[in-house]
Amino acid sequence: YAGLPTGLGYLSEALAKAGIEHKIVDMCLDVKESSLTKSIKAFGPDLIGISMMSFRYKDHYALIERIRANFKDVGIIAGGPHVSTFRERVLKDCSAIDFGSTLEGEDTFIELCYGNKDIPSIKGLLYRDQGQILYTGDRGFIQDLDSTGFPKYEFFEKERYPKFISLLTSRGCPHSCIFCPVQLTIGKRLRMRSAISVVNEIEYWYRKGVSVFNIVDDNFTFNKRRVLDICAEIEKKDIKDITLSCRNG
């Protein structure tokens, strides 16, 4: 497994900040379906969230159908790149899904959990109404990424993952590569965290004994000045003997 799931980590962090009790079950850790069922029964959630890639999506649909069969009265919401790309088609193809969350799902998921808004007023949400699949429209992208904080993975089994941290220092991609669907999932406008925010995350994990960091941005080096500022901030905080890799330019 590649490491702690960054996107799910951000969602968990947002839920924790909002005071919403939740539990994470990462099926990529070879968790048996019977264990998943036991976890759901023990926790007793009002809402079950599923994060999906398009890879093996039919297997995910089948799993969701079985979850629905065991928990008929619990709402199920799906999110992730697959839902952001295919939208209404996902709910059409998998009748067990009650809601779909598109694009950046933090605020959409929190508003749905709070239950103090009418469903049609929650932006970024797919839902069912009298046999129809409706969409509330895209939610505006988060502009101040520093305000989101960074994942601390408090609800994850951290000891079961490789000892490195993936850093997401920006969201969005301004390019138009014909082979890439990133515009459909995270937007075309590039938004960046400040150098101080990025290095605060590195320092947080460095003080906990982590020395390997993998930057997973789509365009980390797009702004050369910011890269140099990040390096300068690392030196200022006297963070030494770390490995910092960049997946994409």
Side-chain angles (χ1 to χ4, degrees):
Y1 186 69
L4 285 155
T6 310
L8 194 56
Y10 270 99
L11 181 58
S12 177
E13 193 71 19
L15 291 171
K17 283 184 177 181
I20 297 171
E21 187 180 3
H22 64 285
K23 179 180 177 63
I24 301 292
V25 179
D26 188 350
M27 298 299 288
C28 290
L29 294 176
D30 294 324
V31 175
K32 293 182 179 180
E33 191 172 325
S34 58
S35 297
L36 172 65
T37 302
K38 288 179 182 177
S39 293
I40 296 173
K41 284 181 178 179
F43 187 69
D46 297 314
L47 187 66
I48 298 171
I50 309 287
S51 181
M52 296 177 57
M53 304 288 282
S54 291
F55 177 63
R56 296 182 62 188
Y57 74 94
K58 290 187 177 179
D59 290 335
H60 299 151
Y61 288 170
L63 172 62
I64 293 169
E65 296 283 1
R66 292 193 293 273
I67 292 172
R68 164 59 69 227
N70 288 321
F71 302 95
K72 292 182 172 60
D73 298 324
V74 181
I76 296 178
I77 180 171
H82 184 68
V83 179
S84 292
T85 302
F86 293 101
R87 308 287 177 103
E88 288 89 349
R89 178 176 162 184
V90 175
L91 271 68
K92 181 179 179 181
D93 291 345
C94 185
S95 61
I97 299 174
D98 299 303
F99 304 100
S101 176
T102 65
L103 306 174
E104 293 172 308
E106 290 102 326
D107 291 336
T108 300
F109 201 12
I110 287 170
E111 289 178 10
L112 183 62
C113 287
Y114 273 145
N116 58 1
K117 282 192 174 185
D118 293 333
I119 295 297
S121 69
I122 301 176
K123 288 297 183 182
L125 191 69
L126 295 153
Y127 67 101
R128 301 180 187 276
D129 183 26
Q130 297 182 352
Q132 288 186 304
I133 298 170
L134 303 176
Y135 182 51
T136 60
D138 290 353
R139 178 182 289 273
F141 289 109
I142 299 170
Q143 300 304 317
D144 180 12
L145 294 184
D146 286 7
S147 67
T148 66
F150 55 84
K152 299 179 181 65
Y153 303 106
E154 294 177 0
F155 295 89
F156 293 75
E157 298 178 78
K158 291 190 287 292
E159 69 282 355
R160 297 186 62 186
Y161 293 89
K163 197 172 181 180
F164 71 86
I165 292 294
S166 295
L167 304 173
L168 184 66
T169 80
S170 66
R171 298 183 186 184
C173 179
H175 301 299
S176 300
C177 302
I178 61 173
F179 57 82
C180 180
V182 70
Q183 294 178 35
L184 299 174
T185 61
I186 204 62
K188 193 172 177 65
R189 182 176 179 180
L190 181 60
R191 295 151 288 135
M192 300 181 182
R193 292 167 59 190
S194 68
I196 292 175
S197 170
V198 174
V199 180
N200 282 346
E201 182 175 9
I202 293 173
E203 183 181 29
Y204 175 85
W205 293 108
Y206 178 73
R207 304 303 177 198
K208 291 182 176 293
V210 178
S211 61
V212 180
F213 300 89
N214 181 27
I215 297 170
V216 295
D217 296 29
D218 291 294
N219 291 284
F220 176 65
T221 58
F222 187 87
N223 185 326
K224 183 178 178 180
R225 180 69 261 169
R226 190 184 71 121
V227 175
L228 294 175
D229 288 345
I230 288 171
C231 294
E233 193 67 27
I234 289 173
E235 287 186 341
K236 187 188 300 183
K237 287 184 176 290
D238 199 32
I239 297 172
K240 298 178 180 179
D241 300 320
I242 65 171
T243 298
L244 193 63
S245 63
C246 176
R247 186 180 69 181
N248 298 312

